[in-house]
Amino acid sequence: MLFTAYVAFAVLLAICMGLEFSACRAKLTGSACTNPAFLRFQLDYYQVYFLALAADWLQGPYLYKLYQHYHFLEGQIAIIYVCGFASSVLFGLVSTSLVDWLGRKKSCILFSLTYSVCCLTKLSWDYFVLVVGRILGGLSTALLFSAFEAWYVHEHVERHDFPAEWIPATFSRAAFWNNVIAIGAGVTANFFAEWLGLGPVAPFMVSIPFLMLTGIFAMKNWDENYGKKRALSKTCVDGLKCLLSDRRVLLLGTIQALFESVIYIFIFLWTPVLDPYNPPLGIVFSSFMAASMVGSSLYRIATSKRYHLQPMHILSLSVLMVFFSLFMLTFSTNPGQENPSESFLAFLLIELSCGLYFPAMGFLRRKVIPEKDQVGVMNWFRIPLNLLACLGMLILHDSDYKTGTRNMFTICSVMMVMALLAVVSLFTVVRNNAELRVPSPQGQNELSSPEL
């Protein structure tokens, strides 16, 4: 597995570089590219946000390994993960309201503090302390995915009065560098944990300086802004009405809950499946992130003027690929007949599918869900998503490790069949809906607008 992991990483990194050089990446208009005030504003945002992302990604490769290093059983580790998913449900529901009330800048500083405490709990061998750390991780993740983007959008439009059309380009560039940071974080984590022999707790300690710099730069360089105060109950009620009144929204929510809960279970299972064969976990993680980046690049190429595939088609392909990967895993994890190389390949295909899935799902959500109902609907989407992931963890908790892992992949395969049926239903509903299609090259030429 050592040789396989390094070769896979090198090949995927080469493919990433090739695709990025050949793909037509999104560009701002000339005035945006050369506007000094806008570039300074972007830099102020990126230096804080990228530090936060680096700290978050550094903790990915060795989380399960750390709990295993402290001699906890797989069932005990599963319960820790369940606590993390449960906290994600709770804090995900209130994070937007909390951020709007507390202030976006203060929320980013709070993120750096809570995540730093979360990392420090990893020094403890006490089970309860580790559970508390996982709960704090759920809060920190909710803040990461709500406070930073909300701060940027408000500053961009309200304080600096830049054109709203420039916002997608900022987030597109951030998404690209997010992938690069994730790949680098895996290599960095591997360097400290394995090459220097500091053990699986080392990446969490390395994250703390990044988190402290995140808080310091936000405090020093950012102005405070607040959102409109919205009652959580009204937000949820309006979201539920939108969800139940539009079949497209309901089907999208079903697909998201099934697909992403399977991804959460995969995040838990990849380490115990591969770790007995002593792979470099940080390099394996970087390979996963490189595969995801390849998927993102392929999405951009597929939806470009040259190929003009639609996000609905790509969503179908990504679900089908995950089903095929899970089907492979039911055989490669069969007790007594394990094939780690085949499992590794299946995991890479899942990550490649994620690179295709997330931009396709994001496009469809923006088109289907009204902007005023986005927060409420997403809150409802998260509940079945995290509940399914928690249920999967609890099933593993009550199962024998060897057979439980294979059975879990079988259950996930069934879930992906259900997701595929939901995709087919959605395709039937929206097949004549021009709004959910990427504009044709002719339409783009007529509008003379940049492709974002």
Side-chain angles (χ1 to χ4, degrees):
M1 275 301 298
L2 183 71
F3 177 75
T4 302
Y6 278 103
V7 169
F9 177 59
V11 170
L12 287 166
L13 199 57
I15 294 173
C16 282
M17 294 174 65
L19 288 174
E20 285 304 319
F21 278 120
S22 63
C24 296
R25 295 196 293 271
K27 295 183 182 293
L28 288 169
T29 58
S31 59
C33 290
T34 58
N35 186 310
F38 178 69
L39 293 177
R40 283 195 301 271
F41 170 59
Q42 268 193 330
L43 182 61
D44 285 342
Y45 173 65
Y46 286 152
Q47 68 179 357
V48 176
Y49 185 50
F50 289 168
L51 284 168
L53 290 175
D56 184 50
W57 285 120
L58 276 167
Q59 301 175 49
Y62 289 92
L63 181 61
Y64 187 100
K65 182 69 174 179
L66 177 71
Y67 299 141
Q68 202 175 49
H69 176 71
Y70 290 158
H71 305 298
F72 294 116
L73 301 175
E74 186 187 29
Q76 295 173 304
I77 299 173
I79 294 299
I80 298 177
Y81 273 75
V82 167
C83 292
F85 291 140
S87 69
S88 296
V89 173
L90 175 62
F91 294 121
L93 289 173
V94 302
S95 61
T96 303
S97 299
L98 173 65
V99 166
D100 290 343
W101 172 77
L102 182 63
R104 279 72 177 263
K105 173 182 173 179
K106 293 188 187 73
S107 297
C108 294
I109 296 170
L110 177 63
F111 158 84
S112 69
L113 293 174
T114 56
Y115 224 3
S116 296
V117 175
C118 172
C119 291
L120 288 172
T121 62
K122 302 300 189 293
L123 293 170
S124 173
W125 290 60
D126 185 87
Y127 189 77
F128 176 75
V129 172
L130 293 172
V131 168
V132 170
R134 190 65 176 160
I135 293 171
L136 286 174
L139 169 61
S140 305
T141 302
L143 292 172
L144 176 62
F145 290 118
S146 57
F148 289 85
E149 182 175 328
W151 180 90
Y152 176 84
V153 172
H154 184 279
E155 293 292 307
H156 181 108
V157 176
E158 301 295 335
R159 193 182 302 274
H160 294 280
D161 197 28
F162 293 127
E165 292 76 16
W166 294 0
I167 293 175
T170 296
F171 290 140
S172 175
R173 188 172 292 123
F176 167 77
W177 285 107
N178 180 38
N179 287 325
V180 174
I181 290 168
I183 294 170
V187 176
T188 304
N190 198 89
F191 174 79
F192 283 97
E194 299 190 30
W195 297 345
L196 293 184
L198 299 178
V201 75
F204 297 92
M205 299 304 102
V206 174
S207 292
I208 294 176
F210 287 93
L211 292 165
M212 290 295 97
L213 287 173
T214 299
I216 291 169
F217 285 145
M219 189 183 303
K220 180 182 177 182
N221 299 331
W222 286 12
D223 295 315
E224 184 61 278
N225 63 58
Y226 298 86
K228 295 179 181 178
K229 293 182 179 180
R230 294 166 288 185
L232 179 61
S233 58
K234 187 178 187 306
T235 300
C236 291
V237 169
D238 291 344
L240 183 60
K241 288 179 180 178
C242 177
L243 185 64
L244 297 178
S245 63
D246 191 334
R247 192 180 175 199
R248 300 175 305 167
V249 178
L250 186 61
L251 288 170
L252 269 183
T254 302
I255 296 164
Q256 178 173 331
L258 291 168
F259 187 99
E260 296 183 26
S261 60
V262 167
I263 299 305
Y264 281 5
I265 294 169
F266 149 71
I267 290 170
F268 174 81
L269 285 175
W270 74 265
T271 303
V273 168
L274 298 179
D275 191 52
Y277 307 96
N278 298 315
L281 294 179
I283 299 302
V284 169
F285 181 84
S286 291
S287 299
F288 291 163
M289 296 301 101
S292 179
M293 190 173 180
V294 169
S296 299
S297 299
L298 290 175
Y299 174 85
R300 288 198 300 271
I301 294 171
T303 55
S304 66
K305 296 179 181 180
R306 181 176 181 182
Y307 297 101
H308 202 57
L309 289 178
Q310 297 302 320
M312 194 67 233
H313 302 145
I314 297 173
L315 181 66
S316 306
L317 176 63
S318 63
V319 173
L320 191 60
M321 286 176 62
V322 172
F323 167 73
F324 176 72
S325 302
L326 293 166
F327 188 71
M328 287 174 59
L329 286 163
T330 60
F331 291 97
S332 63
T333 58
N334 190 28
Q337 299 178 334
E338 293 90 347
N339 188 330
S341 297
E342 187 177 325
S343 297
F344 182 43
L345 175 61
F347 290 149
L348 291 174
L349 287 174
I350 290 175
E351 285 289 351
L352 177 66
S353 303
C354 288
L356 295 168
Y357 164 85
F358 284 106
M361 176 59 79
F363 176 88
L364 293 170
R365 272 203 309 259
R366 288 192 300 272
K367 295 294 184 180
V368 168
I369 306 172
E371 185 175 353
K372 64 182 180 64
D373 295 323
Q374 286 272 353
V375 173
V377 171
M378 289 304 297
N379 284 343
W380 286 107
F381 281 4
R382 290 189 190 101
I383 293 174
L385 191 165
N386 286 281
L387 288 178
L388 285 171
C390 289
L391 182 61
M393 296 296 102
L394 291 173
I395 290 172
L396 279 171
H397 174 256
D398 292 331
S399 303
D400 173 69
Y401 163 64
K402 293 288 186 180
T403 58
T405 300
R406 183 175 187 267
N407 291 340
M408 195 67 251
F409 285 130
T410 303
I411 293 171
C412 288
S413 299
V414 174
M415 292 169 63
M416 293 315 298
V417 171
M418 295 168 64
L420 195 58
L421 291 174
V423 169
V424 172
S425 298
L426 180 62
F427 191 82
T428 303
V429 171
V430 305
R431 65 178 182 273
N432 296 321
N433 192 337
E435 184 187 3
L436 300 185
R437 299 176 65 84
V438 174
S440 65
Q442 290 82 5
Q444 289 170 337
N445 292 336
E446 289 169 8
L447 292 171
S448 300
S449 62
E451 184 182 329
L452 293 176

